[in-house]
Amino acid sequence: MFRDGDEVVLLSRSGKDLGRYFPEMLDALREELAPRCVLDGEIVVPREIDGRVRLDWESLSQRIHPAQSRIKMLAEQTPAHFIGFDALATGDTSLMREPFRVRRAALADAVNQKTWCHVTRTTEDPEQGAQWLETFEGAGLDGVIAKRLDGKYLPGKREMVKVKHARDADCVAMGYRIHKSGEGVGSVLLGLYRDDGELQMVGGAASFSVKDRIKLLADLEPLREGDDMREGDPSRWNSAADKRWIPVRPEKVCEVAYDQMEGNTVHGRRFRHAVKFVRWRPDREPASCTFDQLDVPLNYDLYDVLES
């Protein structure tokens, strides 16, 4: 984020100008930040869920839209916030060679108000950090970040350490896709049962070795339901990808490791990224694989994580 008086530029990590998609943020940054600064941070969309405010990835992803009319509508319905992580410059002073301890103090000074712009909490106490990792999961956070207090800002390099939540779930194998090479399984499609008894697809496990692809095909092929393939939802990231899949009888359960869910309702919830296949669970009944196992208590909300 770059600000020089009334001129504000929001750039993504890849250098894409995001100001068009978040017009309400441009006004907020002019009002709540120092008049001349360069800050590293993240745009987020908080939503109230069950009385708690948490990050909503789905609402954020919908903000990137080509239609100006829709951008205007979403800016009003799901306004974004800015969370500052680091300060690269304030006034005419570059801070990139300064230690993080100095940059952190400059960041706190650069955020004059905290209505739409915020600063993350920090601590030098490892026990406090471990407590935040556990208690703030319900606010929609992936984990906590550790930085060296004497570390300099290194563009393009990950000098920090990200400690993520280790999550796992037992899911029903409801289908598979053949690997693009034509040899074995490329991905296993996963489902969970809703309260109404319907099996809902929630994502897929992929990235198998050649040996595992062949083994998984041998496990799933006997459960294949007919010879037809079903059409899958188009990929947001690769429109040319073949999304057809082969349905199987929902008789096998597998344990998977995942990082985050997206979606506000059960009907829309799914794994945000591809998950890791861990093992088959022959001891688990498919009907026992429900969304309940994914629920995280909403004991805290987003604003508990931020400096007031």
Side-chain angles (χ1 to χ4, degrees), residues 188-205:
V188 179
L189 303 184
L190 309 169
L192 291 172
Y193 281 100
R194 304 195 304 246
D195 290 341
D196 60 9
E198 289 294 318
L199 183 61
Q200 177 180 314
M201 188 180 297
V202 292

Side-chain angles (χ1 to χ4, degrees), residues 15 32 49 57 70 119 156 166 169 174 183 186 188 199 202 220 223 235 237 239 258 281 288 298 304 306:
E32 301 191 6
I49 303 173
W57 167 259
R70 183 167 178 82
V119 175
M174 57 185 301
E183 187 177 24
V188 179
L199 183 61
V202 292
L220 294 173
L223 301 177
S235 172
W237 317 115
S239 59
Y258 71 100
R281 289 291 307 271
S288 69
L298 296 177
D304 294 319
L306 306 173

Side-chain angles (χ1 to χ4, degrees), residues 47-236:
R47 297 288 297 275
E48 184 173 319
I49 303 173
D50 295 335
R52 299 285 183 177
V53 179
R54 59 177 291 151
L55 298 180
D56 185 8
W57 167 259
E58 186 174 18
S59 294
L60 177 63
S61 63
Q62 291 175 354
R63 294 295 307 271
I64 309 298
H65 197 277
Q68 190 63 42
S69 59
R70 183 167 178 82
I71 290 173
K72 181 179 179 181
M73 178 188 71
L74 292 176
E76 297 173 354
Q77 294 180 352
T78 57
H81 292 231
F82 175 79
I83 300 179
F85 300 153
D86 212 331
L88 284 66
T90 54
D92 295 326
T93 304
S94 172
L95 303 172
M96 295 180 63
R97 305 301 295 174
E98 297 292 339
F100 177 64
R101 190 192 302 272
V102 173
R103 302 198 311 273
R104 167 69 194 191
L107 172 65
D109 290 340
V111 180
N112 301 322
Q113 301 181 51
K114 297 181 174 66
T115 303
W116 301 101
C117 301
H118 313 273
V119 175
T120 53
R121 288 190 180 189
T122 59
T123 181
E124 297 182 36
D125 181 359
E127 293 186 3
Q128 179 72 75
Q131 181 183 346
W132 287 348
L133 177 66
E134 179 180 353
T135 59
F136 289 149
E137 181 177 3
L141 275 66
D142 288 339
V144 298
I145 299 285
K147 291 185 176 182
R148 294 173 56 93
L149 287 171
D150 59 351
K152 298 176 181 178
Y153 189 88
L154 301 175
K157 296 183 179 180
R158 175 164 287 187
E159 190 69 5
M160 62 187 180
V161 175
K162 178 178 284 190
V163 183
K164 290 188 174 184
H165 298 283
R167 302 181 176 104
D168 60 73
D170 291 329
C171 300
V172 180
M174 57 185 301
Y176 63 92
R177 293 190 179 99
I178 297 297
H179 190 263
K180 60 184 179 182
S181 68
E183 187 177 24
V185 169
S187 60
V188 179
L189 303 184
L190 309 169
L192 291 172
Y193 281 100
R194 304 195 304 246
D195 290 341
D196 60 9
E198 289 294 318
L199 183 61
Q200 177 180 314
M201 188 180 297
V202 292
S207 301
F208 303 111
S209 66
V210 175
K211 179 180 178 181
D212 287 340
R213 294 203 304 261
I214 302 301
K215 176 66 168 58
L216 286 169
L217 184 61
D219 292 335
L220 294 173
E221 183 70 18
L223 301 177
R224 180 168 180 164
E225 293 187 317
D227 296 326
D228 295 335
M229 299 181 72
R230 297 183 184 176
E231 293 292 335
D233 294 333
S235 172
R236 287 182 296 176

